[in-house]
Amino acid sequence: MVIVPQTSVATTHPERRWEPRLYPGTLATASRVRSDLRSDLRTDLARLTGLGDDLVATVVLCVSEMFANAVEHSRSGEADGRVIRTLAVRSAPDAGTVLRLSVIDDGAKDTGPLFPRQRTAEEWREAEHGRGLLLIEHTASDWGTRPVLDFPFCAGLGTVTWAEFALPAPAGAERGR
């Protein structure tokens, strides 16, 4: 018996999902996460208009920050911890076509990622942490977090951190239809 609703997965653009990628929850894995995403974006998505080098670099930067947060602030960073990365392209109401990147962690531990408190200019210059979510906030079209499963008895099973990036409309495409 299935208790979680199943959704169909479209196989062609503009509604497209790629197989999720599972990674060990270590910071040393971050370079592989970035490399795999760059490869996916440059090969599978190369046919999408507007996926230029700047957008690829922005998405790769965001996955790096999301992955580091998952490792730092969840059980993903513990022994045998894991992080899942997903990637999808879909049409969004009033937003055109968007690329959605998600990182799924292994669940809560004592700390969680938070926006940094107010800092002085000197504190910002010296800070080694606390800018990841701000980077995502300023580079993604939209972003957020949600529980992996939205049932009260499943609290703490994991968090999905997602970011969306608007893809420019193809030349000659009409908006608002």
Side-chain angles (χ1 to χ4, degrees), residues 113-128:
L114 302 170
F115 278 106
R117 62 176 174 71
Q118 282 294 94
R119 295 179 175 168
T120 66
E122 179 65 25
E123 288 173 325
W124 275 111
R125 281 191 294 277
E126 299 295 322
E128 293 182 12

Side-chain angles (χ1 to χ4, degrees), residues 125-144:
R125 281 191 294 277
E126 299 295 322
E128 293 182 12
H129 299 286
R131 293 183 180 92
L133 294 178
L134 290 173
L135 262 163
I136 295 167
E137 168 79 20
H138 290 289
T139 58
S141 304
D142 197 10
W143 77 281

Side-chain angles (χ1 to χ4, degrees), residues 147-169:
V148 168
L149 292 173
D150 197 18
F151 296 112
F153 58 87
C154 296
L157 288 180
T159 299
V160 178
T161 303
W162 56 269
E164 290 185 342
F165 304 88
L167 297 175

